[in-house]
Amino acid sequence: MKPKLFVLKMPFEDGPGKMWICSHCAMIEGALAVNSHWKDEVNVQRLDFKRPRKVLVELLGEDKQWLPVLVLESGETITSPVEIINYLADKYGGAAAHP
């Protein structure tokens, strides 16, 4: 089973006429663009901003809908974008987040 990486679809609307990006998810999307080989190793799913996010509720529970989140094969989760990027770089090679 591949790790599952969940990020927000961007841009998204939050408030009438207000369009946004999630800076944490944008960081992940940038790392995915630079490390295109990760797409073969990780199941990436882009979710709508609106809650409930059914797939996350079913997988992690109602109170764990934070994005981005990397769900490892063990069921462990990583939510820090820098930690997600560094985990994927360590595991699959490629560019990590610069300190």
Side-chain angles (χ1 to χ4, degrees):
M1 177 178 127
K2 293 181 180 182
K4 296 176 183 169
L5 177 59
F6 298 94
V7 295
L8 282 172
K9 289 180 190 174
M10 296 180 283
F12 58 87
E13 186 173 354
D14 186 19
K18 300 262 187 179
M19 299 303 291
W20 305 89
I21 66 164
C22 167
S23 59
H24 293 163
C25 293
M27 182 186 292
I28 297 295
E29 290 287 10
L32 289 169
V34 170
N35 297 291
S36 59
H37 63 283
W38 289 352
K39 73 180 181 308
D40 298 327
E41 307 296 341
V42 179
N43 179 353
V44 179
Q45 295 183 46
R46 292 167 179 87
L47 304 179
D48 291 325
F49 175 73
K50 186 177 176 176
R51 292 180 183 207
R53 298 178 182 127
K54 184 178 178 183
V55 65
L56 288 181
V57 170
E58 291 173 357
L59 190 61
L60 303 174
E62 184 76 30
D63 61 332
K64 296 187 178 174
Q65 297 183 56
W66 174 264
L67 295 175
V69 62
L70 178 65
V71 181
L72 305 178
E73 299 92 340
S74 66
E76 180 184 355
T77 61
I78 304 172
T79 58
S80 162
V82 171
E83 289 178 24
I84 291 170
I85 292 166
N86 290 342
Y87 174 87
L88 295 174
D90 287 344
K91 180 118 175 140
Y92 304 113
H98 190 274

